[in-house]
Amino acid sequence: NGAKAALAYCYEWGLGVENDHELAFKMYTELHDSGDSEGTAGLASCYYGGHSVKQNASQAFRLASQAAEKGSAYGRVVLGWCFENGKGVPQDHKQAFIWYQKAAEQGHVSGQWKLGVCYEGGRGVAQDYKQAFMWYQKTADQGDVDAQYSLGMFYESGRCVAQDDQEAFVWYQKAAEQGHADAQYKLGL
């Protein structure tokens, strides 16, 4: 089931394959029906974003809660989204941070990136640029395009690191190569 859940995730987000929300939703449903918590988490994401199903915040929150309580890192990320944006539950940045932290500790790249976002913006936790940088570095090294762009911004501005245009360029270029529009703009592409 782990390989099937990973493949469904790839179809949901277009990672290495053509984006196919319908196929992802079908695969997640099959996994969920067999009791797989990653399938439940994927369904939560589909309901959250309206991927091949009518957007339903309360259903997304319910499914994400089930998956998160069973230990699903992806479920914990989706639950964080729900709390961060007040979808299916009152907005609560502290709860969002807690769920992102749990996902990050399990090694989930999106959870790690969102943890960096929380630290950078002081959302649900005291603002801490060094912690934000550390989480962005961790996820950028794993190929996360948003974290790569964020590192470029840190180096360009000299926020908590020595200002370094060459290092900023390296990270903007990595993000731009993955199609990040803002990074492409920074590079004049």
Side-chain angles (χ1 to χ4, degrees):
N1 280 352
K4 187 173 185 176
L7 183 59
Y9 185 86
C10 290
Y11 280 119
E12 180 184 6
W13 298 106
L15 302 173
V17 294
E18 189 76 28
N19 186 291
D20 189 336
H21 287 142
E22 284 184 34
L23 181 55
F25 183 78
K26 179 179 183 256
M27 293 171 78
Y28 285 143
T29 300
E30 291 170 0
L31 288 162
H32 169 75
D33 290 347
S34 73
D36 184 273
S37 63
E38 293 303 320
T40 304
L43 278 183
S45 176
C46 290
Y47 280 106
Y48 182 91
H51 302 163
S52 289
V53 65
K54 188 176 188 308
Q55 197 170 28
N56 183 329
S58 60
Q59 180 75 331
F61 178 75
R62 185 182 68 76
L63 290 167
S65 295
Q66 287 175 9
E69 291 301 330
K70 289 182 179 176
S72 164
Y74 189 29
R76 290 171 174 181
V77 169
V78 178
L79 192 55
W81 296 342
C82 292
F83 278 112
E84 179 182 6
N85 298 298
K87 301 285 185 176
V89 65
Q91 188 176 47
D92 185 333
H93 290 292
K94 286 184 180 178
Q95 280 296 310
F97 175 81
I98 288 166
W99 289 106
Y100 291 144
Q101 187 172 39
K102 289 180 182 205
E105 289 168 355
Q106 287 179 263
H108 198 283
V109 174
S110 293
Q112 293 171 343
W113 180 73
K114 291 300 282 186
L115 206 54
V117 171
C118 290
Y119 277 116
E120 182 178 7
R123 293 177 148 192
V125 65
Q127 190 173 52
D128 185 334
Y129 292 132
K130 288 182 180 177
Q131 281 291 314
F133 181 85
M134 187 270 302
W135 285 106
Y136 289 153
Q137 183 74 60
K138 188 175 193 83
T139 48
D141 289 342
Q142 295 174 72
D144 184 83
V145 64
D146 293 313
Q148 291 169 343
Y149 179 75
S150 295
L151 282 183
M153 292 185 57
F154 268 67
Y155 281 110
E156 181 181 18
S157 68
R159 181 181 290 165
C160 90
V161 294
Q163 196 279 335
D164 186 334
D165 288 335
Q166 287 182 322
E167 192 67 16
F169 176 83
V170 167
W171 289 108
Y172 286 144
Q173 187 166 26
K174 288 180 183 206
E177 287 169 357
Q178 293 191 70
H180 195 285
D182 291 335
Q184 291 170 342
Y185 178 79
K186 288 270 191 187
L187 297 175
L189 301 177

